[in-house]
């Protein structure tokens, strides 16, 4: 899923400063699962903003609305009848959703209420961590299911670096060293000799470095 | 026992404090409550094992949010007591009422007054919402 | 064979000594010359760090050239953190054109530890692939993209680093074998404080026969103070400082701590010299370059041999 974090409250107050009637948008997909921008979080943020503005003596009307998805046109278009009633849209969807809504409603200011952070998993309730950078050229076959591009702070292909200690990354003592995980896995699978293969240079053209990516399936186009 | 406790405390019953969500606490303030406290069973005595412990964490989070939006985190509290502790129940109601009285009315209401649609009576009517655990 | 003095020393079977010179945080060439002057005559080559600990400093290539001009054989360090493969190959050509003969290939410290923690890192290629890149340019005369190098190929003695004290320990010798296979000709290890662990690592290295494929220079760092030892133990990732070493420094009067630190380092040089497969020492006297001559002399490694 795409994981996001809510932006600092002060920043959001600045965004809505000039307005008195806004649409606060959420999404039922990833940001609901990572407890950042689902119906619940939309309600909490709306309540907080309303109370703050009420206290300031400048009440604000906030319409809470949660789309099934913010990244598909059919859902985004469903906003059409309501968008015009609000001075601006603040969205708790991920960066994709925010952009897609902005693309559809060009006359409307659409601002982010979250910082979109990574593609990850739920490690346990309330804990999420990164797994994939979307480099477009998967090498998980070589590293037995642990991605060095994502899980090594230096994206080393022939790691670990000299800063791996006690299984942790030098960058953060709470982050496992990706290469320690790979070595452990190679050992478990009795394939440690695979470590001796020098991984060749990566073709980054399939990654974001090759420019924004697009996928077309002609057979599916209507 | 015929114990008395302040009349400004409005009791909201839930099956377990584990049912209490952050949004319930925020909504109470949004609707004008001056303080909120959650009264759960004694720690380790939850009928649903950890409902009161979850409530404690949520109260903690609500404190942060209320601090952030200027209402004040100290207006929300978590207490633990058993259903047999009538005396304690009354004492907590008094203690919380006194604490909120010292803090004054929900600051959001002051803002409304500036706009001209608040009323002074609100100040004397501190509302303390309370959620009760069923033991 | 390249024009590298270090390579000549090692190939002739002499026990090599290298030093280190961190470029300044300004544009004064004189600072480099002054720092270098302390090492004059005591080392076979001098490492020039590349924005070490991710703190911005004068470029490694410039400082290497300044040191070359005053008679040193610089070992230019290059990290993968700040350059992509285009810049890396360009700098390799440039370094060789300036007469720099040694290149030490490193991943580089993460920018989090430096003075620009909000920077973007590059890591287009890693240190292993950097070793391969230098070798490819030098031996095959080919760029990574496949085109031919025009005219003169870069001629560099290829080095790398390895940390025997980092985890997972069991692959640290394999990792050196991998670097040797990629084309590294010499390795300088992380500062050694835990000698038994270093010996264990060397044993694993010998079991793989790697000591016959690559010259191993043991990393030596004198501790200037108890605070420095403690700091390295607690805050420098991948550093293994045993309590016994700290206790030994604590055991001498305050004014003698620095002297004791030097003494320990000298003993360390003499000790590692006896270990089979160790071809030299790399002395990293961090901001204490003036003590290097004393250490080299006391260890019986002075004067340095002249090999042609």
């Amino acid at each position: 899923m795409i994981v996001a974090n809510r932006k600092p409250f002060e920043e959001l107050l600045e965004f809505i400063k000039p307005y008195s009637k806004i649409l606060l948008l959420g999404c039922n997909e990833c940001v609901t699962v990572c407890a950042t921008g689902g119906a619940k979080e939309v309600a909490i943020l709306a309540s907080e903003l309303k109370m703050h503005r009420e206290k300031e003596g400048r009440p604000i009307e906030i319409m809470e609305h949660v789309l099934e998805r913010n990244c598909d046109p059919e859902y985004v278009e469903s906003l059409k009848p309501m968008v015009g009633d609000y001075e601006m849209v603040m969205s708790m969807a991920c960066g994709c959703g925010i952009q897609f809504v902005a693309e559809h409603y060009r006359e409307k200011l659409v601002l982010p209420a979250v910082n979109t952070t990574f593609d990850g998993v739920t490690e346990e309730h309330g804990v999420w961590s990164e797994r994939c950078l979307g480099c477009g050229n998967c090498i998980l076959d070589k590293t037995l299911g642990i991605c060095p591009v994502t899980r090594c702070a230096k994206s080393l292909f022939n790691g670990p670096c000299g800063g791996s200690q006690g299984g942790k990354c030098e960058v953060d003592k709470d982050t496992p060293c990706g290469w320690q995980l790979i070595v452990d896995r190679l050992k478990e699978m009795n394939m440690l000799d695979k470590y001796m293969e020098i991984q060749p240079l990566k073709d980054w053209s399939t990654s974001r470095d090759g420019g924004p990516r697009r996928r077309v399936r002609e057979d599916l186009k209507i | 026992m015929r114990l008395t406790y302040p009349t400004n405390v409005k009791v909201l019953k839930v099956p377990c404090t584990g049912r209490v969500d952050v949004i319930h606490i925020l909504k109470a303030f949004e609707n004008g409550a001056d303080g909120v406290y959650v009264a759960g069973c004694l720690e380790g005595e939850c009928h649903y094992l950890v409902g009161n412990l979850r409530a404690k964490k949520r109260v903690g989070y609500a404190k942060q949010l209320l601090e952030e939006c200027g209402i004040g985190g100290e207006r929300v509290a978590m207490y633990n007591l058993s259903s047999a502790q009538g005396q304690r129940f009354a004492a907590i109601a008094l203690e919380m009422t006194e604490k909120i009285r010292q803090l004054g009315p929900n600051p959001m209401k002051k803002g409304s007054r500036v706009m001209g649609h608040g009323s002074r009576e609100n100040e004397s009517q501190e509302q303390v919402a309370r959620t009760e655990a069923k033991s | 064979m390249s024009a590298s003095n270090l390579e000549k020393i090692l190939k002739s079977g002499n026990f090599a000594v290298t030093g280190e010179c961190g470029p300044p945080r300004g544009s004064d060439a004189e600072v480099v010359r002054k720092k270098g002057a302390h090492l004059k005559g005591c080392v076979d080559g001098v490492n020039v760090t590349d924005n070490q600990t991710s703190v911005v400093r004068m470029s490694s290539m410039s400082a290497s050239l300044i040191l070359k001009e005053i008679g040193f054989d610089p070992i230019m360090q290059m990290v993968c953190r700040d350059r992509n493969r285009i810049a890396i190959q360009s700098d390799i050509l440039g370094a060789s054109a300036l007469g720099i003969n040694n290149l030490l290939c490193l991943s580089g410290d993460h920018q989090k530890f430096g003075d620009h923690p909000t920077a973007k890192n590059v890591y287009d290629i890693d240190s292993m692939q950097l070793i391969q890149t230098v070798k490819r340019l030098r031996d095959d005369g080919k760029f990574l993209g496949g085109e031919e190098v025009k005219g003169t190929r870069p001629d560099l003695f290829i080095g790398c680093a390895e940390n025997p004290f980092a985890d997972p320990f069991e692959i640290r010798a394999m990792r050196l074998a991998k670097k040797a296979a990629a084309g590294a000709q010499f390795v300088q290890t992380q500062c050694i404080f835990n000698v038994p662990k270093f010996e264990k690592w060397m044993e694993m290295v010998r079991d793989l026969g790697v000591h016959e494929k690559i010259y191993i220079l043991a990393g030596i760092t004198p501790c200037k103070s108890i605070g420095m030892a403690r700091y390295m133990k607690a805050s420098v990732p991948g550093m293994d400082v045993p309590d016994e070493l700290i206790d030994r420094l604590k055991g001498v009067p305050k004014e003698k701590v620095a002297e004791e630190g030097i003494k320990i380092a000298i003993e360390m040089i003499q000790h590692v010299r006896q270990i089979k497969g160790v071809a030299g020492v790399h002395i990293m006297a961090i901001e204490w370059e003036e003590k290097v001559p004393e250490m080299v002399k006391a260890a019986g490694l002075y004067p340095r041999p002249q090999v042609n």
Side-chain angles (χ1 to χ4, degrees):
Chain A
M1 95 192 86
I2 298 174
V3 179
N5 268 333
R6 205 190 77 184
K7 276 183 174 285
F9 193 65
E10 297 299 319
E11 196 177 341
L12 302 180
L13 284 176
E14 268 312 297
F15 288 171
I16 62 165
K17 207 171 194 173
Y19 310 104
S20 55
K21 192 178 179 189
I22 69 162
L23 174 62
L24 184 61
L25 209 53
C27 183
N28 263 340
E29 291 283 351
C30 314
V31 288
T32 293
V33 185
C34 71
T36 301
K40 203 170 193 174
E41 294 76 28
V42 166
I44 288 172
L45 178 59
S47 177
E48 269 193 280
L49 291 171
K50 278 189 279 185
M51 284 195 275
H52 189 276
R53 288 284 295 262
E54 188 77 34
K55 185 188 164 194
E56 275 190 331
R58 297 177 55 243
I60 185 167
E61 191 184 329
I62 301 178
M63 172 67 178
E64 299 167 25
H65 191 75
V66 182
L67 290 180
E68 200 51 40
R69 273 202 288 285
N70 280 247
C71 51
D72 268 331
E74 52 266 50
Y75 299 108
V76 171
E77 278 157 17
S78 73
L79 290 172
K80 209 164 216 163
M82 61 191 308
V83 157
D85 297 340
Y86 301 91
E87 294 165 304
M88 60 94 79
V89 179
M90 193 152 78
S91 174
M92 300 192 85
C94 72
C96 309
I98 299 166
Q99 294 185 56
F100 213 40
V101 170
E103 283 167 36
H104 276 77
Y105 301 99
R106 306 188 64 88
E107 71 291 354
K108 204 54 74 182
L109 192 63
V110 182
L111 300 181
V114 303
N115 292 319
T116 303
T117 47
F118 55 80
D119 286 358
V121 296
T122 309
E123 275 184 19
E124 58 177 288
H125 208 79
V127 181
W128 297 271
S129 61
E130 187 166 19
R131 287 295 182 277
C132 182
L133 269 174
C135 71
N137 193 0
C138 194
I139 55 156
L140 286 173
D141 56 316
K142 298 194 174 74
T143 52
L144 306 191
I146 295 142
C147 176
V149 182
T150 312
R151 304 194 68 187
C152 166
K154 300 175 186 172
S155 291
L156 302 181
F157 289 88
N158 296 282
C161 77
S164 174
Q165 206 142 47
K168 303 295 179 192
C169 173
E170 66 174 22
V171 171
D172 174 21
K173 62 176 172 34
D174 293 324
T175 304
C177 163
W179 271 97
Q180 173 81 54
L181 298 175
I182 294 169
V183 169
D184 289 348
R185 188 98 179 95
L186 287 168
K187 274 200 296 188
E188 270 166 22
M189 303 297 283
N190 213 11
M191 293 166 86
L192 197 55
D193 54 323
K194 222 176 148 68
Y195 175 75
M196 287 306 290
E197 289 169 21
I198 299 173
Q199 296 306 322
L201 267 70
K202 184 165 177 69
D203 173 358
W204 290 106
S205 68
T206 55
S207 188
R208 211 247 5 125
D209 305 86
R213 292 162 281 177
R214 194 160 180 257
R215 177 173 180 253
V216 180
R217 275 271 306 265
E218 286 299 338
D219 58 316
L220 292 177
K221 284 169 88 175
I222 302 166
Chain B
M1 276 189 281
R2 297 208 172 276
L3 296 165
T4 57
Y5 65 91
T7 53
N8 53 23
V9 177
K10 183 177 160 77
V11 177
L12 296 173
K13 292 184 183 176
V14 285
C16 166
T17 49
R19 176 66 188 90
V20 181
D21 197 273
V22 172
I23 190 67
H24 300 138
I25 298 171
L26 295 187
K27 283 288 174 192
F29 285 102
E30 211 182 309
N31 289 321
D34 301 307
V36 172
Y37 67 96
V38 177
C41 296
L42 293 168
E43 289 187 8
E45 310 256 303
C46 177
H47 184 66
Y48 304 101
L49 304 176
V50 291
N52 51 358
L53 300 178
R54 294 213 171 122
K56 187 181 175 181
K57 284 191 182 173
R58 290 176 198 151
V59 166
Y61 184 49
K63 268 184 190 290
Q64 285 175 33
L65 298 175
L66 288 163
E67 202 54 52
E68 188 172 78
C69 68
I71 300 297
E74 69 281 20
R75 289 177 182 275
V76 61
M78 172 92 194
Y79 287 98
N80 296 88
L81 70 165
S82 84
S83 56
Q85 292 175 304
Q87 297 273 14
R88 182 161 154 77
F89 176 79
I92 289 168
L94 253 171
E95 180 187 299
M96 191 69 186
T97 301
E98 202 38 54
K99 186 179 167 191
I100 301 298
R101 219 181 275 282
Q102 274 170 21
L103 290 170
N106 179 337
M108 191 184 79
K109 288 189 285 193
K110 280 190 208 156
S112 314
R113 210 167 64 230
V114 175
M115 292 295 283
H117 53 74
S119 80
R120 284 200 72 82
E121 283 102 87
N122 280 352
E123 276 179 56
S124 57
Q125 290 204 343
E126 290 99 317
Q127 282 190 327
V128 179
R130 172 187 178 272
T131 50
E132 185 183 51
K134 188 176 163 192
S135 354
Chain C
M1 198 154 87
S2 71
S4 160
N5 179 54
L6 177 63
E7 185 174 5
K8 285 182 193 130
I9 293 279
L10 287 165
K11 287 207 167 142
S12 63
N14 284 291
F15 192 77
V17 179
T18 55
E20 195 156 299
C21 181
R25 303 207 66 203
S27 290
D28 190 355
E30 202 45 42
V31 177
V32 181
R33 288 186 202 109
K34 270 193 186 141
K35 232 179 176 182
H38 294 303
L39 305 175
K40 199 81 205 201
C42 316
V43 293
D44 306 313
V46 56
N47 281 41
V48 186
T49 52
D50 181 8
N51 298 298
Q52 81 265 32
T53 61
S54 306
V55 170
V56 176
R57 288 167 188 277
M58 180 190 291
S59 85
S60 174
M61 201 191 297
S62 307
S64 292
L65 183 62
I66 295 164
L67 289 169
K68 172 144 185 105
E69 284 168 353
I70 58 167
F72 282 101
D73 184 30
I75 301 161
M76 179 176 137
Q77 298 194 180
M78 185 185 271
V79 300
C80 301
R81 177 191 62 227
D82 310 323
R83 310 165 172 80
N84 68 6
R85 62 189 78 177
I86 300 169
I88 281 174
Q89 293 177 95
S90 153
D91 281 354
I92 292 169
L93 298 184
S96 189
L98 292 174
I100 293 163
N101 306 316
N102 313 283
L103 191 83
L104 193 82
C105 305
L106 306 165
S107 300
D109 295 314
H110 193 272
Q111 72 277 9
K112 188 192 167 173
F113 303 103
D115 60 344
H116 291 75
T118 57
K120 187 180 197 301
N121 62 36
V122 182
Y123 293 115
D124 176 15
I125 68 176
D126 66 17
S127 58
M128 199 75 67
Q129 296 162 341
L130 174 56
I131 294 166
Q132 285 182 316
T133 303
V134 188
K135 188 175 160 65
R136 184 175 160 98
L137 288 168
R138 184 192 67 189
D139 298 350
D140 306 340
K142 281 205 168 131
F143 291 108
L144 295 171
E147 304 252 337
E148 298 269 336
V149 173
K150 295 264 188 296
T152 311
R153 297 173 182 184
D155 191 9
L156 293 154
F157 187 42
I158 307 171
C160 67
E162 188 48 51
N163 184 357
F165 310 103
D167 292 319
F169 180 66
E170 67 265 44
I171 59 115
R172 289 291 158 183
M174 280 168 83
R175 188 163 158 74
L176 183 64
K178 207 170 159 177
K179 285 184 175 177
Q185 296 164 286
F186 71 99
V187 58
Q188 293 170 329
T189 75
Q190 173 68 291
C191 318
I192 302 160
F193 297 109
N194 184 343
V195 179
K197 193 157 187 182
F198 177 69
E199 284 181 322
K200 174 79 195 135
W201 178 73
M202 278 303 299
E203 195 185 312
M204 289 158 85
V205 166
R206 286 193 302 268
D207 286 347
L208 292 171
V210 187
H211 64 302
E212 281 159 2
K213 293 176 184 143
I214 189 165
Y215 296 107
I216 300 169
L217 276 64
I220 304 289
T221 288
C223 281
K224 217 173 181 174
S225 63
I226 298 165
M228 176 188 173
R230 281 204 184 119
Y231 172 79
M232 286 195 292
K233 184 185 175 78
S235 311
V236 181
M239 204 74 105
D240 185 347
V241 185
D243 289 329
E244 299 86 77
L245 188 136
I246 297 173
D247 290 343
R248 187 170 156 188
L249 290 175
K250 274 194 204 158
V252 298
K254 212 176 166 200
E255 66 280 5
K256 300 254 180 184
V257 169
E259 201 179 297
E260 191 69 12
I262 297 288
K263 223 169 122 188
I264 296 172
I266 294 163
E267 287 169 22
M268 196 83 82
I269 296 172
Q270 284 161 340
H271 188 118
V272 297
R273 209 178 162 181
Q274 305 307 317
I275 301 172
K276 192 182 169 210
V278 173
V281 283
H282 174 53
I283 305 172
M284 291 164 273
I286 306 154
E287 296 303 321
W288 213 16
E289 290 82 2
E290 66 272 22
K291 289 285 175 187
V292 174
E294 183 187 328
M295 290 166 63
V296 175
K297 282 171 193 162
L301 294 167
Y302 188 85
R304 299 307 308 144
Q306 299 298 316
V307 183
N308 287 309

